[in-house]
Amino acid sequence: AATKLASAEKLMYFCTDQLGLEQDFEQKQMPDGKLPVDGFLLCVDVSRGMNRNFDEQLKFVSNLYNQLAKTKKPVVVVLTKCDEGVERYIRDAHAFALGKKNLQVVETSARSNVNVELAFSTLVQLVDKSRGKAKIIPYFEALKQQSQQIAAAKDKYEWLVSRIVKSHHEAWPNVSRKMQPAPEFQDYVYLEGTLKAKKLFLQHVQRLKQEHIERRRKAYLALLPQALDALVPDLDEIDHLSRAKAERLLEAKPDFLKWFVVLEETPWDATGHVDDVDNERIPFDLLETPAAEQLYEAHLEKLRNERRRAEMRRAFRENLESSPFVTPGKPWEEARSFIMNEDFYQWLEEPVYMDIYGKHQKQLIDKAKEDFQELLLEYSELFYELELDAKPSKEKMGVIQEVLGEEQRFKALQKLQAERDALVLKHIHFVYHPTKETCPSCSACVDARVEQLLGSRFARPAER
């Protein structure tokens, strides 16, 4: 309660937690000589202390206030540790202040830095009446404002860090120097301190590193199916192998080092390989991860399905070859109804069926045309006594069709009548104008083959 204070060279500490750790904090000493005291902050601890009676504390504070009142200096009652405050203690402290000529009361928390500055500015206003009156803000309202201010400052600071720090290799000393002039950095450090600013920086760097590792992991896993296709494309080689034996088989492959790298240290994401972006080879220990195991199982399943589909394609072709319902020229839509109940039908896609069926139809049609051509040659007498221009009359065509109509080779082209009629006309043209161009055998015509053979045997010598 002195209005003059002297404590030369005494060290000033912020809190008792620093005792014994003095060298870790900035040391400030009280100046020489007496200091005039212009006002008092009367602090009341409203937390629940061990072995401490709050009523006794309040009695002591009341006696202390009586001494302070004699100095005629302004007094502000400061409730400390409100972050752990007991509601009854706070209420009793307010009642005490109200009974002492309406003393100003400021609820504070030094740990949360809430209303600490307000306590001093309130006292300054009482000392210097020319200053505007300080607005007393209740603790929880001030805490909310403080939290909002810190959250806004944190968002801005994190934006600054994300804009400046693009690599997980960045170090705090270098980055903090870059950020020093930025208001976002200054505001956050003022509110939360350098240690928290560094912590957020380290979290950002760790995030960048994890993102980098994840990108590399995805790239390796995307490459793994190609590696497996290249090294173990044969199902028989790996179908019944354990994972350990499969890995030994991979290592024995000649192209193993083209796709994989065996690191001296593991795991791969804790080695320098993760930063070697020019080396895209897959770390071999990555195969031990669940994601890689799933891809290996998917590779096995793919090979099994491919084998199954090959078997189904073969079964489908055999079914087509043995089916009496599939005739030359029959559309796929009509033929499909005969095979829909077969086991293989659900295994293949529609375009695959259509492709196989189309190739089978071509073979059927080519064979049917060849057989029909033989039939026409066997019935050569039908094509005699035609008009000079070798155009058969409608009656003659009727006779030809009537004679040939009972032949199976004629019926085989029933769904291809236009092509069958064209073959008949082409045969008539050949009968009356037999040349290698009109020959039904086309390029296989003996005259054409003889010319080719002679041309290749007796080629002219090159001119000198």
Side-chain angles (χ1 to χ4, degrees):
T3 57
K4 297 289 184 180
L5 184 65
S7 186
E9 298 183 357
K10 180 176 176 62
L11 286 177
M12 297 190 295
Y13 298 106
F14 297 107
C15 67
T16 55
D17 292 344
Q18 295 177 9
L19 294 176
L21 304 172
E22 292 88 347
Q23 300 304 319
D24 295 343
F25 298 89
E26 182 182 3
Q27 297 189 8
K28 293 183 180 181
Q29 293 182 337
M30 294 283 285
D32 293 334
K34 291 184 176 181
L35 298 174
V37 177
D38 298 309
F40 298 93
L41 296 178
L42 182 54
C43 297
V44 183
D45 186 343
V46 293
S47 66
R48 191 186 303 278
M50 291 182 65
N51 302 320
R52 186 183 69 201
N53 186 297
F54 182 77
D55 294 333
E56 291 296 325
Q57 180 192 191
L58 203 56
K59 185 184 295 185
F60 171 80
V61 168
S62 179
N63 292 333
L64 183 55
Y65 171 75
N66 292 334
Q67 296 297 321
L68 295 178
K70 295 176 182 178
T71 67
K72 306 296 184 183
K73 300 289 185 179
V75 177
V76 172
V77 176
V78 179
L79 308 188
T80 64
K81 299 187 181 178
C82 285
D83 53 300
E84 299 177 358
V86 177
E87 187 176 352
R88 184 180 72 82
Y89 298 171
I90 296 173
R91 190 167 58 246
D92 290 350
H94 275 281
F96 157 76
L98 189 62
K100 302 295 182 180
K101 299 181 181 177
N102 290 327
L103 283 174
Q104 297 271 36
V105 179
V106 180
E107 301 171 350
T108 69
S109 168
R111 176 180 292 171
S112 303
N113 191 22
V114 175
N115 278 348
V116 174
E117 188 173 338
L118 177 63
F120 286 92
S121 62
T122 301
L123 181 60
V124 169
Q125 186 273 328
L126 294 175
V127 172
D128 183 1
K129 299 293 186 181
S130 64
R131 294 176 179 268
K133 187 175 181 181
K135 181 182 178 182
I136 306 299
I137 304 174
Y139 173 75
F140 286 107
E141 183 180 338
L143 178 63
K144 181 180 178 181
Q145 293 178 5
Q146 173 87 348
S147 300
Q148 291 173 345
Q149 186 180 7
I150 290 174
K154 181 182 177 184
D155 288 344
K156 292 178 181 178
Y157 171 67
E158 287 180 331
W159 169 84
L160 176 69
V161 172
S162 65
R163 186 169 62 86
I164 292 178
V165 182
K166 300 296 185 182
S167 168
H168 61 276
H169 295 296
E170 293 278 11
W172 172 249
N174 183 46
V175 172
S176 60
R177 280 195 300 272
K178 288 182 183 177
M179 295 191 296
Q180 193 72 45
E184 295 87 357
F185 176 79
Q186 295 173 0
D187 291 346
Y188 186 72
V189 168
Y190 174 77
L191 289 170
E192 289 283 77
T194 305
L195 288 179
K196 285 196 175 181
K198 181 180 180 180
K199 183 179 179 181
L200 288 178
F201 159 80
L202 293 175
Q203 288 175 354
H204 176 72
V205 167
Q206 185 62 22
R207 212 159 35 241
L208 289 179
K209 183 175 183 180
Q210 290 304 316
E211 290 172 358
H212 174 72
I213 290 173
E214 184 61 18
R215 283 194 298 271
R216 296 289 283 168
R217 188 182 73 87
K218 288 181 177 178
Y220 294 142
L221 291 176
L223 192 62
L224 183 56
Q226 300 177 42
L228 295 175
D229 285 340
L231 297 177
V232 283
D234 186 359
L235 178 63
D236 291 334
E237 195 175 23
I238 58 175
D239 197 12
H240 302 295
L241 290 184
S242 66
R243 287 299 312 283
K245 289 183 178 179
E247 289 181 9
R248 287 198 292 273
L249 175 66
L250 284 173
E251 288 187 274
K253 293 292 181 177
D255 286 343
F256 172 74
L257 292 179
K258 174 183 175 183
W259 296 95
F260 292 95
V261 58
V262 179
L263 301 172
E264 293 182 4
E265 299 178 6
T266 55
W268 66 271
D269 53 5
T271 69
H273 183 72
V274 73
D275 292 318
D276 188 2
V277 293
D278 294 328
N279 190 346
E280 297 181 349
R281 292 185 298 165
I282 305 166
F284 197 51
D285 65 299
L286 184 70
L287 290 181
E288 303 297 331
T289 64
E293 290 179 5
Q294 289 178 5
L295 288 174
Y296 178 75
E297 293 300 325
H299 177 69
L300 278 176
E301 190 64 22
K302 183 186 76 169
L303 294 181
R304 290 169 184 150
N305 287 338
E306 286 177 354
R307 172 181 288 180
R308 183 68 174 157
R309 282 194 291 270
E311 292 172 353
M312 293 303 102
R313 285 194 293 269
R314 184 166 56 252
F316 180 45
R317 283 192 293 267
E318 291 173 355
N319 182 276
L320 291 176
E321 291 168 0
S322 61
S323 174
F325 305 106
V326 179
T327 56
K330 177 168 286 191
W332 163 243
E333 289 73 15
E334 294 181 20
R336 179 168 49 188
S337 60
F338 297 113
I339 64 166
M340 287 180 65
N341 295 325
E342 299 289 344
D343 292 339
F344 55 75
Y345 185 71
Q346 302 300 326
W347 270 86
L348 303 175
E349 302 293 333
E350 186 78 2
V352 177
Y353 288 118
M354 293 176 66
D355 179 64
I356 295 174
Y357 185 77
K359 291 177 181 177
H360 180 69
Q361 269 295 322
K362 185 177 184 307
Q363 292 175 352
L364 283 181
I365 292 171
D366 290 345
K367 182 67 168 61
K369 286 182 177 180
E370 186 179 332
D371 292 345
F372 184 66
Q373 190 67 56
E374 288 293 326
L375 177 66
L376 295 178
L377 290 172
E378 290 173 10
Y379 284 85
S380 301
E381 68 277 5
L382 277 176
F383 302 98
Y384 296 162
E385 300 176 359
L386 296 178
E387 296 178 11
L388 292 179
D389 58 0
K391 288 184 179 180
S393 63
K394 186 177 295 186
E395 292 77 9
K396 186 63 176 176
M397 285 295 290
V399 171
I400 292 172
Q401 291 187 3
E402 184 179 352
V403 172
L404 300 179
E406 297 302 319
E407 285 281 350
Q408 182 58 39
R409 286 172 287 179
F410 182 87
K411 295 177 181 178
L413 292 173
Q414 186 174 355
K415 288 186 175 295
L416 301 167
Q417 293 184 18
E419 295 189 31
R420 186 173 62 188
D421 292 345
L423 287 173
V424 172
L425 293 175
K426 184 178 179 181
H427 183 73
I428 292 172
H429 189 59
F430 167 68
V431 170
Y432 282 85
H433 303 283
T435 65
K436 63 179 183 294
E437 286 78 15
T438 59
C439 178
S441 298
C442 300
S443 60
C445 174
V446 173
D447 287 353
R449 295 296 297 276
V450 168
E451 283 187 9
Q452 293 172 5
L453 192 60
L454 290 174
S456 62
R457 286 294 188 91
F458 301 102
R460 291 183 179 181
E463 296 183 4
R464 296 178 182 272

